[in-house]
Amino acid sequence: MRTAAWLLLFFSLCSSAQHHVNGVVKDAVTGEPLPFATVVDGYGTNQIADIDGKFSFASAKTVEALTVSYIGYQKKELKVKNLKFITILLTPEVKNLETVVLPKKEDPAYEIIRKAISLKKQNDPQRKLQTFQFKAYNKLIVTANPDSIDGSIDSVFIKKSDGSQVAKADSSAFRFKKLISSQHLFQMEKVSDFQFKERKLKETVRGIRMSGFDKPIYEVVSFNLQSFSVYDSKYELFETKYSSPISNDAFSDYYYHLLDTVQVGGRETYVVYFFPKRKYRKTGLQGLLYIDTQHYAVAKAVMRLKTVLDVTATHSFEYIPEQGIWFPTEKEFKIVKGKNDEDIKILGETFKFDADDKNPRPKKQSSDFTYLLSRSWYFNREYNQPLIIRKSSIAMEVKDDAIRRDESFWNTFRKDSLDSRSRKTYVALDSLAKKEQVEKKLRIGRKLINGYIPIGPVDLDLRYLLSYNNYEGFRLGAGGITNDRFSEKYRIEGYTAYGTKDGNFKYNLGGAVRVGKFSNSWIGGGYTDDLREIASTSFAIDKRVFKLYDPRPINLSTFYTHQTWRGFIETKIIPKTESIWQLSRSVVEPKFDYVYRVDGKDYAAYNMTTAMVSLQWNPFSDYMQTPTGRIEIEKRYPKFTFQFTKSLPGVLDNDFNFGKIDFRTEYQKKYLSGQKTAVFVEAGYAFGDIPLTHLYNTSPNSLTKDKVLQRLTLAGKNSFETMYFNEFFSSQYVFFQLKHGFKRVMLFKKVKPSLVLVSRMAWGNLERPEQHLGIAYKTLDRGYFESGIELNQIFKGFGLSGFYRYGPNQLPRFEDNISIKLSFILDLGI
């Protein structure tokens, strides 16, 4: 009897859903899908098509007719009896959606959005709730639908040198379909705890599994595909921020249209369609907002971007009566190819594009069907409970045992069970990665990008192999630092170099021991016997930057030698900072015609004992703590760098009493149009008895030559391209630089320059100029000004720029104020 009841229930369920009608709504002219079209069946049941214009009806009754409507298009009624799938083509009205303007009678959606904006404070969980916490399971895959791929073996015709053609079989589509039918191209799972308190949201990763890797790529783990909250004024999608459709100034960026009212979670909601105004038509968001009719809170949101990539982000919410809010329960992110003429890479998979206007619908390649899908589920939610967030300055923390979770752990938290393709993905990619030594190649690749070649326990430093300047001639050398294969607690570093022109050896040897893992604190010391450019500004905390070339030193002639002992502490113990605290003792000798006079005594060489602290502070950035160190995962501006140096009178035969205060700040702003504005400010203040070798020269980068072409050199970074070497010196200065870069423009297929407008200016002063003997110089008390144009990456990273000097320090001859520079930007495509 019980078996018969189960069979009866089974067949009744099947029969009740046996009538299906699936379809898609498209523009009759362009063939493009119409997102969020309204579809009504003959019984009055309505449905909103999805972002791709697709809809599906499942009913116990036979669906015989449909009525389809869409703003800006003619309504259409049609018979669909006995049809399983139908393509519905709507004809545009005289005005299409993109050119619609506000009618005299305002769309009801505008009043709904106004109320939603005004009530954000009481509807946003991060504003209304004092605390909350939940667990999250995320699954990310790069894959394709096998049914979408033809899989046939085509013929490719290859032209021979004699003009004849040879047909060869192309089985790439066949092999790709066979592969994708059994597994995904990439897969990652993650289990996290989220905690919120005092406007701070922290994610603690308890488990992480990435196909093909024993140790995950933490940069991929931290990749922010979409915002957590839809209430933020800037909505982040694929690491780009857009104006939110419910930001306070949203009406200046978006149009709105009320489509319908539907139920979400048993509550009535307005369905509001938003789309960008003309100025953001190609770069702005479009999508749907489901707004609760009582609280005017967001009950569901769909964000869509259709540019180079076709991106869809969905946020789902659940109404919590006890708290009177809609709380997020799930989010989904999907990315497929859009329209572009370049290939791009996403998590190692190449997306090919073809934007040939003459052939708007070329034959699709297998990789054209590849997509990335990320889904997150939120569960075990708690609200307004006592909560302590440990290490709250870190936005994301990966626990040390997160990569060692067993299958029982994953089965406990998975909300989407692994199918056979997912299971085979781990087996196949893990095996392939080991066979191809993917992690080893990745480790070597990362080292190479940063200028190292790993050789066992030592990383060979490529910076020291070969360089050139006018004093040393060719500088030949070798150097390196021990890596974690040597020790995770101790490190040894050093280098040696020889100048072919000055005939001297230089060297460095140092070591350190790590005393704090979370703060990455090191205590160390070392000795250096080398030379350095005079009056150069250097922040000890600056990260090591590897360049294929360093243009400025090539033209340098004035240096000083120094033999320096130093002891230091490196630490990140202060939130969002990196700092170096150092004591040093140096013997300095200028290698040019210079004498420093103090209290009637002349110094051709001198001793300097100093204490210094150098600190980098990024207050608006977010960081991730991993078992291997701390990573800046969200770079935000402005950033600040401070450095204070003070001599220690009477300590180790120190000759002078002086101090230096150095400051730098950087700010960048990116625009939806692809443009970028960057501001750079640097200042220094030196006081007391300090020799010219340790003052400021404001980074000149021009040779003292008569002809413009004789001064043709490589452009520097943040340097005055028209200022001659050793032309100006200062004991106090301020330097300001403004850059505005435009989107790259394609002139030819491989010629796509980036236009950048640059202006630089500086003011300075030199106290006690009578102390500095033997060198001619000027001061910056009247200011220095130059402006120019950069055409970067004209061809394969090479560019050209031109600058002009003007203002009080302009030179009499017109051509002496002009500087032409070559530039090179290395694009690694990663």
Side-chain angles (χ1 to χ4, degrees):
M1 185 70 183
R2 292 175 61 186
T3 302
W6 277 110
L7 290 174
L8 180 62
L9 175 61
F10 173 77
F11 284 114
S12 64
L13 289 173
C14 291
S15 61
S16 66
Q18 63 182 350
H19 301 287
H20 292 267
V21 176
N22 301 314
V24 61
V25 184
K26 294 185 176 182
D27 186 304
V29 177
T30 65
E32 294 293 322
L34 298 177
F36 319 125
T38 301
V39 185
V40 183
D41 66 10
Y43 306 102
T45 303
N46 66 73
Q47 186 181 111
I48 305 296
D50 68 11
I51 197 77
D52 295 308
K54 297 177 181 178
F55 64 90
S56 178
F57 280 97
S59 173
K61 301 178 182 179
T62 301
V63 179
E64 298 184 351
L66 294 177
T67 301
V68 184
S69 59
Y70 194 77
I71 182 173
Y73 289 77
Q74 299 176 13
K75 183 183 293 187
K76 190 169 187 176
E77 298 180 0
L78 63 161
K79 302 294 184 182
V80 295
K81 187 176 182 180
N82 299 325
L83 293 176
K84 298 296 183 183
F85 186 87
I86 183 171
T87 299
I88 302 172
L89 302 177
L90 298 186
T91 304
E93 297 281 7
V94 177
K95 296 181 179 179
N96 63 28
L97 184 60
E98 292 180 342
T99 58
V100 70
V101 295
L102 293 179
K104 292 182 180 179
K105 184 178 180 181
E106 186 179 69
D107 192 298
Y110 285 83
E111 184 58 29
I112 296 171
I113 295 299
R114 286 192 188 95
K115 291 182 178 179
I117 293 173
S118 66
L119 297 174
K120 281 196 301 181
K121 187 174 182 179
Q122 67 184 52
N123 289 324
D124 181 359
Q126 291 178 282
R127 294 188 183 183
K128 185 173 183 178
L129 299 177
Q130 294 182 351
T131 67
F132 62 75
Q133 60 182 343
F134 58 85
K135 293 186 179 298
Y137 167 75
N138 171 262
K139 180 180 178 182
L140 184 150
I141 59 174
V142 178
T143 189
N145 185 354
D147 297 333
S148 302
I149 303 169
D150 182 10
S152 60
I153 300 178
D154 295 331
S155 294
V156 177
F157 292 92
I158 302 175
K159 183 176 288 188
K160 299 176 67 177
S161 58
D162 59 2
S164 61
Q165 289 185 337
V166 178
K168 290 190 175 182
D170 179 10
S171 60
S172 57
F174 173 79
R175 287 185 282 107
F176 186 76
K177 182 169 184 175
K178 184 179 179 180
L179 171 69
I180 211 67
S181 297
S182 62
Q183 67 176 74
H184 303 304
L185 300 175
F186 177 84
Q187 183 170 275
M188 182 179 75
E189 293 180 280
K190 181 176 67 171
V191 172
S192 304
D193 293 336
F194 281 84
Q195 296 176 298
F196 173 82
K197 183 180 180 180
E198 297 176 350
R199 303 300 299 272
K200 293 181 180 180
L201 181 66
K202 180 184 177 181
E203 178 183 2
T204 302
V205 180
R206 300 291 180 181
I208 182 72
R209 188 177 182 184
M210 185 178 292
S211 59
F213 297 91
D214 291 330
K215 294 182 179 180
I217 306 173
Y218 291 110
E219 290 83 356
V220 174
V221 177
S222 67
F223 202 75
N224 191 20
L225 298 174
Q226 63 188 113
S227 288
F228 171 78
S229 174
V230 298
Y231 290 97
D232 295 338
S233 59
K234 295 293 183 182
Y235 181 83
E236 189 164 353
L237 193 62
F238 205 45
E239 296 208 324
T240 301
K241 292 185 177 181
Y242 303 87
S243 176
S244 168
I246 53 172
S247 64
N248 293 336
D249 57 350
F251 293 113
S252 63
D253 300 325
Y254 294 100
Y255 289 126
Y256 300 87
H257 177 63
L258 179 61
L259 296 177
D260 211 334
T261 55
V262 299
Q263 285 200 344
V264 176
R267 293 177 64 87
E268 201 76 12
T269 65
Y270 299 112
V271 183
V272 176
Y273 175 41
F274 65 90
F275 55 99
K277 291 189 174 180
R278 175 171 290 275
K279 61 179 178 178
Y280 297 127
R281 185 179 60 185
K282 295 182 179 180
T283 57
L285 297 173
Q286 61 173 309
L288 289 181
L289 293 174
Y290 293 72
I291 306 295
D292 185 295
T293 59
Q294 295 184 30
H295 298 286
Y296 291 91
V298 178
K300 184 177 180 180
V302 181
M303 308 290 191
R304 180 75 178 270
L305 180 68
K306 295 189 69 174
T307 54
V308 173
L309 300 171
D310 192 345
V311 183
T312 304
T314 304
H315 296 258
S316 300
F317 299 79
E318 179 185 353
Y319 185 70
I320 312 300
E322 298 83 0
Q323 306 297 333
I325 61 168
W326 287 84
F327 196 84
T329 58
E330 184 180 337
K331 68 177 183 179
E332 180 179 294
F333 176 93
K334 186 175 183 180
I335 179 171
V336 298
K337 61 173 294 184
K339 294 180 179 180
N340 191 29
D341 62 346
E342 291 183 341
D343 299 346
I344 65 168
K345 289 185 178 180
I346 300 174
L347 299 180
E349 172 60 20
T350 298
F351 286 68
K352 295 184 178 297
F353 296 91
D354 190 345
D356 186 357
D357 293 334
K358 296 180 180 179
N359 185 20
R361 295 190 182 184
K363 181 180 178 180
K364 290 190 174 183
Q365 304 297 318
S366 300
S367 60
D368 292 343
F369 298 97
T370 307
Y371 64 88
L372 181 149
L373 178 65
S374 174
R375 294 188 66 186
S376 297
W377 292 263
Y378 304 147
F379 51 97
N380 292 358
R381 302 186 297 271
E382 297 180 7
Y383 317 100
N384 290 333
Q385 298 297 316
L387 181 64
I388 297 176
I389 301 179
R390 302 186 184 278
K391 304 172 183 176
S392 60
S393 61
I394 304 297
M396 179 183 290
E397 181 181 2
V398 182
K399 289 298 184 181
D400 290 349
D401 59 352
I403 62 175
R404 297 190 295 270
R405 297 299 189 180
D406 57 22
E407 197 63 26
S408 62
F409 171 87
W410 293 107
N411 290 332
T412 301
F413 293 105
R414 280 188 184 123
K415 298 301 177 180
D416 183 17
S417 60
L418 296 184
D419 55 17
S420 61
R421 289 175 71 195
S422 296
R423 290 193 295 271
K424 290 180 180 177
T425 299
Y426 282 127
V427 175
L429 292 185
D430 290 350
S431 175
L432 179 64
K434 290 180 180 179
K435 180 181 178 181
E436 298 294 332
Q437 296 183 313
V438 172
E439 287 192 279
K440 179 181 179 181
K441 293 177 181 177
L442 179 63
R443 180 176 63 87
I444 294 174
R446 283 180 168 178
K447 298 285 187 180
L448 287 172
I449 290 170
N450 290 305
Y452 293 106
I453 296 178
I455 303 176
V458 177
D459 293 339
L460 180 65
D461 197 328
L462 297 176
R463 291 180 303 172
Y464 299 115
L465 294 181
L466 177 66
S467 61
Y468 180 86
N469 61 68
N470 287 331
Y471 180 80
E472 294 178 283
F474 286 101
R475 177 179 169 121
L476 309 174
I481 184 172
T482 57
N483 54 41
D484 55 6
R485 291 192 172 187
F486 172 80
S487 173
E488 292 185 353
K489 189 174 181 180
Y490 304 97
R491 76 182 189 215
I492 300 173
E493 58 186 321
Y495 68 83
T496 184
Y498 176 76
T500 58
K501 189 174 180 179
D502 68 338
N504 291 326
F505 282 95
K506 298 88 180 173
Y507 61 92
N508 162 269
L509 183 64
V513 57
R514 185 162 71 176
V515 294
K517 187 175 181 180
F518 174 77
S519 61
N520 196 30
S521 298
W522 295 78
I523 295 178
Y527 176 77
T528 302
D529 185 346
D530 205 341
L531 50 76
R532 181 176 169 182
E533 176 192 359
I534 67 169
S536 56
T537 304
S538 175
F539 290 87
I541 196 59
D542 282 351
K543 290 184 174 63
R544 177 191 187 281
V545 178
F546 171 65
K547 301 178 182 179
L548 290 178
Y549 69 94
D550 194 358
R552 288 193 68 255
I554 293 175
N555 302 308
L556 294 179
S557 301
T558 48
F559 293 86
Y560 64 88
T561 61
H562 66 101
Q563 295 82 45
T564 301
W565 290 93
R566 76 180 188 116
F568 64 88
I569 298 175
E570 297 177 3
T571 185
K572 298 180 180 179
I573 195 169
I574 305 174
K576 299 193 176 185
T577 67
E578 301 176 44
S579 61
I580 294 179
W581 306 72
Q582 177 177 290
L583 289 174
S584 65
R585 199 266 185 181
S586 300
V587 178
V588 177
E589 182 181 358
K591 307 307 290 186
F592 59 101
D593 184 16
Y594 174 72
V595 172
Y596 185 49
R597 180 170 294 171
V598 179
D599 297 330
K601 184 177 180 180
D602 293 343
Y603 292 86
Y606 31 86
N607 300 324
M608 305 179 76
T609 305
T610 59
M612 181 268 293
V613 57
S614 185
L615 185 145
Q616 173 76 43
W617 181 40
N618 304 333
F620 305 104
S621 295
D622 285 335
Y623 291 84
M624 176 172 69
Q625 185 72 34
T626 76
T628 59
R630 192 175 302 178
I631 302 173
E632 187 179 6
I633 58 176
E634 182 72 26
K635 296 182 179 181
R636 298 193 184 100
Y637 294 89
K639 298 183 175 186
F640 305 96
T641 308
F642 305 90
Q643 185 163 287
F644 177 68
T645 306
K646 183 67 177 67
S647 66
L648 303 177
V651 178
L652 298 176
D653 298 322
N654 176 64
D655 286 323
F656 311 126
N657 184 12
F658 67 89
K660 291 180 69 177
I661 301 172
D662 297 298
F663 169 78
R664 180 180 65 203
T665 183
E666 301 174 74
Y667 176 78
Q668 291 184 11
K669 182 176 182 179
K670 295 182 179 180
Y671 303 91
L672 297 181
S673 60
Q675 300 183 52
K676 182 175 75 172
T677 299
V679 178
F680 179 86
V681 178
E682 189 174 83
Y685 180 79
F687 55 91
D689 295 322
I690 182 166
L692 184 139
T693 52
H694 290 67
L695 293 179
Y696 306 106
N697 63 11
T698 57
S699 298
N701 193 31
S702 185
L703 298 174
T704 311
K705 301 289 184 180
D706 288 335
K707 304 295 183 181
V708 173
L709 292 181
Q710 291 177 322
R711 298 194 297 271
L712 179 63
T713 57
L714 294 169
K717 181 183 180 182
N718 305 329
S719 58
F720 280 100
E721 304 298 339
T722 61
M723 184 185 292
Y724 297 133
F725 288 99
N726 301 330
E727 185 179 1
F728 297 91
F729 290 99
S730 305
S731 55
Q732 300 99 35
Y733 82 102
V734 59
F735 167 44
F736 178 84
Q737 175 181 271
L738 176 64
K739 286 188 174 184
H740 183 82
F742 296 88
K743 187 177 181 180
R744 297 182 69 178
V745 178
M746 178 182 289
L747 300 180
F748 305 100
K749 186 168 181 62
K750 293 186 178 181
V751 179
K752 294 179 291 183
S754 170
L755 174 65
V756 181
L757 303 180
V758 185
S759 283
R760 299 186 180 102
M761 55 199 73
W763 292 267
N765 180 48
L766 182 63
E767 294 184 350
R768 305 176 187 176
E770 68 280 358
Q771 292 182 319
H772 309 287
L773 308 176
I775 185 171
Y777 58 86
K778 296 185 289 187
T779 61
L780 290 170
D781 55 298
R782 296 188 301 161
Y784 189 96
F785 305 88
E786 76 171 23
S787 294
I789 297 175
E790 296 178 353
L791 285 175
N792 296 322
Q793 297 176 287
I794 297 175
F795 182 75
K796 293 187 179 297
F798 290 94
L800 188 67
S801 59
F803 293 87
Y804 182 72
R805 178 201 289 214
Y806 56 94
N809 278 295
Q810 187 176 38
L811 299 175
R813 289 202 315 166
F814 174 78
E815 56 268 32
D816 290 341
N817 297 296
I818 297 175
S819 180
I820 298 175
K821 301 288 182 177
L822 298 175
S823 65
F824 179 75
I825 297 177
L826 179 62
D827 186 2
L828 297 172
I830 59 174

